[in-house]
Structures are given as C-alpha cells and as structure tokens.
Amino acid sequence: MVIVSPDTAGCAALHSRPTQMQCQRCERRRRTGMAWVAGVDGCRGGWIAAFTDTQKPDHAPVARVLSRFGDLFSGEILPDIVAVDMPIGLPDRVTGSGRGPERLVRPLLGERQSSVFAIPARAAVAALDYAEACRLALAASEPPRKVSKQGFHLFPKIREIDGLLRSEAALCERVFEVHPELAFRTMKGAPLSHPKKIKGVINPSGLAERCGLLVEAGIPADDLLDALAALVVARHIAAGRGKPFPDPPGRDSHGLPIAIWTFSSPRQPLQDTVMSASPVSRPMIEEAAGRIAGHARITPVMRLGAGAFGSVGDISLKLECLQHAGSFKTRGAFNNLLSLPIPAAGVAAASGGNHGAAVAYAARARGVKATIFVPEISPAAKIEAIKRFGAEVVVGGAQYDDAQAACDRFVAETGALKIHPFAALETIAGQGTLGREWDLQEPDLDTVLVAVGGGGLISGIASWFAGSKVKVVGVEPEGSRALQAAFEAKGPVEVKVASVAADSLGARNVGQLVYDATKDSVDHIVLVPDSAIAEAQGVLWRDFRLAVEPGGAAALGALLCGAYKPAQGERLGVLVCGANVDLGKLAAIVG
C-alpha cells in the first residue's frame, strides 16, 4: 500500500527532494505548530476549499472560495495535503470504460456507479469546443466514446490542475485525486443508499445521509459536502491511512499520478469493506480473453490419470510452459499492451526474466519500444531471451525489488508505460485467461496447484474460479513465501527471499492488489523445499522431455514431496508454468 506520512519534524519524510517552497512550508509548520490539510471541489466561483489543522482536531474547518487552484499554495494557510474532487493524470487513449481508477472504484459504489464517469483522452480535454472534444474523444477511445456535456464543463478545471502539476512536479507529492462517493462509501462501510441528486435536483434523503456521515467523521456538515468529504480523505492521508485505487498508482505519459484515493477506515479495515469483492471479475477476464485471442497460445493439458507420481489423485498437467516467450506472462503482457494507451517512450517493466521476455515479445509484436530492468540474479538464458525479442535490458540492482525501483525512476523520467508483473488489473486479468482456458479444457477439476511469486498468476486464476467448486492452492518455496506471510498478517508484508526459484518466485511483497484478489479465493498456501523443486524439474525432463525452470516446476514439487496430498480420486490439475531454464543447471540436476 502507498502510505503518505508527513513528518512534523521536517520535510524529508514527505519529499525526497524538498524544494524551497516545501522547506518554507515545513518551517512555517515548526514555527506555528500547525499542519493543515485541505479538501477541494470545483464551484462556479472557481474552487471551494475546506481546511483543517490536524494538530487541532477539535477546531472547526475553515472554508474559502479561491479563484485559482494554485492559490491553495500561497497565502497564510499552506496545506501539506490537498485532496481534490477532480481527475489527475490523463490517458493518451482510452480503452473500455475509462482509466484504471474508474474501473476499480465503480464496483464498490453499488447503485452509485454512474457518478464515476470515464475520463476522456488528453487531447479531448484540451479542446475548447464541445464538438471538437467529442471528435477527439471518439478518435482516441476503443470502443468509441463521446464526451458528456457535464464532463465537458469540467475540462477547464481539469486543465488547470494538469498544467499546474506538470509545471510544479513537486506538488504531485501533495495533491491527491479523490471521489466523494468513494469517500462516503468508506465512511459508511457500504455503498450509499440514496443519490445526492435526482434529475439534477438535490435529494433530501441523500443529503441527510451524507451530512450524517460527515458529522460522524467529526466534521460539521453544511453545503460544502464534496469538499468536506475530500477533507476527510486528506486528513486520513496525512495520518498515513491513505489508500489509492489502483495501488500503486499508475502514471500518465507526462508522469502525473493516476489514482483515486480514499482511506483505510478506522471503523473497519479497508480490505474487509471497500475491497470485500475481488478487484478482478470474470467479465474482466472474459474481455481479456477476447482481447488476446490470436496473440497468446492455447496451451495443452496432459491427462495422466489416477496413480500418477504415486498419488491417489487423478492427475493432469497444464503445460503453460509451451506458451510464447516460455511462460504465462505473455497473457498479461498482451492484455496490457492491447488495453492501455502506449506513449512515445514505449513500455517499461521490471522482471526476473519471464515477465521481461513476455513484455519484450508482446512489444515486438505490436511494434512498441520496450525497456526491461532485470535484477543481478536473473539467469543468463532469460536475459538472452529478452534481448532476442528486441528489448533494451538494464541491470537494476541485486534483487527484483531493486529492479522495480529502477524501473519506476525510468518511468517517472521518460513517461514510458510501466507494465507491472503482478500489481496491475490488466496483468491479473490477462493471467486469469489461463484459468478460464483450463476450466474449459478440464471442467471436472476439483483442485489446481499454482506456483506463486508476486501473485499475479494465482490472482487471475483464483479470480476466475472464485465461487466455483474448484479449490485453488498456492505453492511457494520455503525461502520465498510472500503470499503465505500476507495471509498470516492479514495484509501484505515484506519477506526475505532465498530460493533456487528466486529469479521467478522471488517477490518480497505481493502488494495490496494481489492480497485483495486472493485472500478470499485462494484456499491455502503450501511450502516446498528447493530439493522438491529440483526433483520436479528432473521428473519433467526424464519422463516427459519438458525442460522447465525451477519456478515452473514448483507446483509439481508440492505433489512429489507431499506438501499437498490429494484425496482418493481427487481430480488435481498441476500448472507447469515456465520453460526459460538454464540448460546447464538442468543438465546437472538430471545427471
């Protein structure tokens, strides 16, 4: 989860490179003992802002009308955190029903979903004429989507914030996009029962419901509903309880953050309320399957029957190791490239090898530039595969998370599109097509064994099988157990990584999105020793002539070592998911 925790002792905790303006603000905070936050909404006079001092929570908020958004950052009250009900971060193209934040937030709002409208492409927002805005929006959306007149009236304010944040990049660390309906939903712990307006007229029941929630949150309610709702979110962000959708936030082609923020409610943990439903649904996976059809292979199932490997179960192998670029990652890579607008700087990814190879393969197929950041532990065979597919390879540090940090810096500097190997809806939905395909091939399965690294694969497969009779069991190496640790802690945590499969199953933290997608849909996790993984590699080569990497063999290792013991006659599907193996090391295993 992205956490913002301002430090009253100085600006270093909030800003990695404090500017003169930021240092002046922090000096003012030290001198006055005040730490202001603001909730802001557009109004006819410009902007309506509600301010509160987090050092004095018993004081009533201060309300002001400002002619320009930039006026928030001058004057006597200088807020550390600004939460604004206005889109931040504009796509170059729009696919489906809007940006990732809108698609994530709508399902949480119940009947209030229509209050979250799709943000059109940047070119359409820049248009000053409604007809021209519609023309540009139609040309940059798939399926074609016009601009609503209500949305068009917001464009000047969207342009105002966009211009300010692009010219004053440091402000991106202080300004957060929010949506009042999501804020109210988080306060209540459930979708609201009444709309705020009915056919443009204020609905008394809806107004009363929202005012009651603001009073309960400790803020006197008046007509500044949306600004005050944003203020509630700003106050929680300042206290370190901020929660973005998506997590982590994306970036547009100009480096501006793309996320809608709320908070982890003190009334109930956010993962038990806002994210009670899986963030990836079957319809999303169906759409992804249609999108990548013809780009990703349909991989075969090998039915071995009862008694295979000495088991009492009825065993089959799903051979995703035969996928393009050698792993399931190709599914998610294509779904990203076919779902999202691609900036001129191309795409970037951090990878232990398989994700990088898949992104490079998909980028080459789409004629897109790719830059892949790899950790030092990446096998030479995987790095060679990435280069063979035409991508630029950059060594970004010792471990995967180091490579991810280097990738994030590159994306911020160049505006390239980051394709995350697991913490992205498009990635998870793409990997979920494997579960859909498997289900169609073997409709009578009882259980599937799935290897877990960062968790994108098991998130997609578990999201597909959620609510069905199929039990999804995750398999992690004993020395790399990020998802099991998250389940134990009831939230993502850091783990140490030391395993023969660390190059592909070596994430130190699965992140909030994967945790939310798996916490209710994965039955449990089993751990396997490195020796069982190596044994599985040897069996797959000797018995089936399948050259499989350690991560790809981990699920079978769980069966061989007894970490998972099927019941008599249980129809068990075992996923073999990666073939980018160092042949020299495999030769040493099979002797």
Side-chain angles (χ1 to χ4, degrees):
M1 178 183 297
V2 177
I3 299 294
V4 179
S5 301
D7 182 355
T8 56
C11 56
L14 185 60
H15 309 289
S16 57
R17 295 184 300 275
T19 64
Q20 183 178 5
M21 177 189 296
Q22 291 161 354
C23 292
Q24 289 173 346
R25 177 171 49 82
C26 293
E27 174 59 33
R28 181 190 298 268
R29 189 197 304 171
R30 284 191 290 268
R31 188 177 69 251
T32 64
M34 295 180 177
W36 292 95
V37 297
V40 184
D41 191 22
C43 67
R44 290 184 180 179
W47 301 88
I48 190 162
F51 301 86
T52 191
D53 181 3
T54 59
Q55 304 289 331
K56 300 175 180 178
D58 55 329
H59 287 202
V62 176
R64 291 185 179 177
V65 175
L66 308 171
S67 60
R68 298 180 308 135
F69 188 77
D71 292 343
L72 283 161
F73 307 102
S74 61
E76 191 60 29
I77 298 178
L78 297 176
D80 292 318
I81 300 293
V82 175
V84 58
D85 177 21
M86 201 63 62
I88 297 172
L90 302 175
D92 293 328
R93 289 192 59 81
V94 177
T95 302
S97 57
R99 303 178 304 169
E102 285 93 53
R103 298 200 300 271
L104 272 173
V105 166
R106 285 192 195 100
L108 310 178
L109 301 184
E111 296 181 0
R112 307 277 74 79
Q113 293 190 34
S114 61
S115 66
V116 183
F117 67 87
I119 307 304
R122 177 177 290 278
V125 174
L128 304 180
D129 174 74
Y130 177 66
E132 177 67 3
C134 287
R135 185 187 69 79
L136 292 169
L138 287 168
S141 57
E142 181 60 41
R145 184 188 296 270
K146 292 176 62 176
V147 173
S148 70
K149 290 194 174 180
Q150 177 186 5
F152 179 72
H153 291 313
L154 294 177
F155 286 4
K157 287 184 166 52
I158 297 175
R159 291 194 296 267
E160 185 179 350
I161 292 181
D162 183 73
L164 178 65
L165 296 183
R166 288 170 60 187
S167 62
E168 297 284 344
L171 291 179
C172 291
E173 301 175 4
R174 297 166 57 188
V175 180
F176 300 84
E177 176 185 347
V178 300
H179 194 287
E181 293 297 284
L182 178 60
F184 285 123
R185 190 254 190 256
T186 309
M187 293 181 221
K188 183 176 180 180
L192 300 185
S193 304
H194 307 284
K196 188 170 66 174
K197 292 182 180 181
I198 299 177
K199 296 183 178 180
V201 179
I202 290 291
N203 175 25
S205 297
L207 191 65
E209 182 178 26
R210 289 158 177 79
C211 286
L213 290 167
L214 286 170
V215 171
E216 197 173 322
I219 293 182
D222 56 20
D223 291 338
L224 308 175
L225 279 177
D226 290 351
L228 287 168
L231 181 61
V232 172
V233 178
R235 195 171 62 181
H236 282 285
I237 292 173
R241 293 188 292 270
K243 165 68 181 177
F245 290 86
D247 183 3
R251 295 275 176 178
D252 70 7
S253 59
H254 292 268
L256 301 191
I258 301 179
I260 296 176
W261 286 74
T262 184
F263 57 92
S264 296
S265 171
R267 174 185 302 182
Q268 284 181 289
L270 188 63
Q271 60 264 30
D272 294 332
T273 56
V274 172
M275 293 302 292
S276 58
S278 173
V280 177
S281 64
R282 273 200 169 200
M284 292 170 64
I285 295 171
E286 291 278 12
E287 290 180 8
R291 199 174 289 124
I292 71 173
H295 296 285
R297 285 179 179 142
I298 298 174
T299 55
V301 166
M302 181 184 294
R303 296 177 177 86
L304 304 177
F309 308 113
S311 168
V312 299
D314 187 352
I315 312 300
S316 63
L317 304 178
K318 171 66 169 166
L319 302 181
E320 187 67 9
C321 54
L322 302 180
Q323 186 57 258
H324 290 300
S327 82
F328 68 91
K329 299 279 191 179
T330 298
R331 298 173 183 267
F334 269 114
N335 195 45
N336 273 275
L337 265 69
L338 295 168
S339 301
L340 301 172
I342 307 299
V347 297
S351 170
N354 285 342
H355 178 62
V359 171
Y361 177 86
R364 185 182 68 175
R366 302 296 298 166
V368 173
K369 177 185 176 183
T371 305
I372 309 299
F373 293 80
V374 301
E376 294 170 2
I377 61 172
S378 296
K382 295 188 177 184
I383 293 177
E384 180 57 35
I386 296 171
K387 292 179 178 178
R388 188 170 67 251
F389 295 135
E392 179 181 355
V393 176
V394 179
V395 177
Q399 299 290 337
Y400 165 76
D401 284 0
D402 303 317
Q404 185 64 65
C407 178
D408 290 344
R409 290 191 296 271
F410 175 81
V411 167
E413 293 167 0
T414 65
L417 172 67
K418 179 174 72 175
I419 300 183
H420 200 282
F422 52 88
L425 285 176
E426 291 80 10
T427 300
I428 292 175
Q431 319 308 27
T433 64
L434 195 163
R436 173 185 178 274
E437 183 178 295
W438 204 353
D439 195 16
L440 292 172
Q441 292 170 320
E442 292 202 278
D444 296 326
L445 284 172
D446 297 311
T447 305
V448 293
L449 294 182
V450 180
V452 180
L457 173 62
I458 199 169
S459 294
I461 290 175
S463 295
W464 176 261
F465 284 119
S468 74
K469 69 177 182 65
V470 178
K471 180 172 64 177
V472 179
V473 176
V475 179
E476 291 185 296
E478 289 178 345
S480 182
R481 49 181 295 274
L483 188 57
Q484 187 190 63
F487 286 173
E488 292 172 351
K490 303 205 180 306
V493 293
E494 294 281 333
V495 299
K496 294 181 179 179
V497 174
S499 170
V500 68
D503 64 298
S504 57
L505 305 183
R508 294 198 289 244
N509 190 323
V510 296
Q512 192 68 38
L513 179 59
V514 166
Y515 175 74
D516 289 332
T518 56
K519 65 185 177 68
D520 296 321
S521 56
V522 171
D523 188 81
H524 67 284
I525 302 294
V526 298
L527 301 181
V528 295
D530 283 354
S531 59
I533 294 174
E535 181 187 0
Q537 286 183 276
V539 168
L540 288 167
W541 174 251
R542 284 190 295 266
D543 294 355
F544 307 102
R545 282 302 186 256
L546 292 171
V548 176
E549 65 189 272
L556 179 59
L559 181 64
L560 296 180
C561 74
Y564 184 80
K565 297 179 180 178
Q568 183 75 41
E570 179 180 347
R571 291 183 60 87
L572 176 66
V574 179
L575 182 60
V576 182
C577 55
N580 292 313
V581 62
D582 184 318
L583 295 178
K585 291 182 178 179
L586 181 61
I589 290 172
V590 299

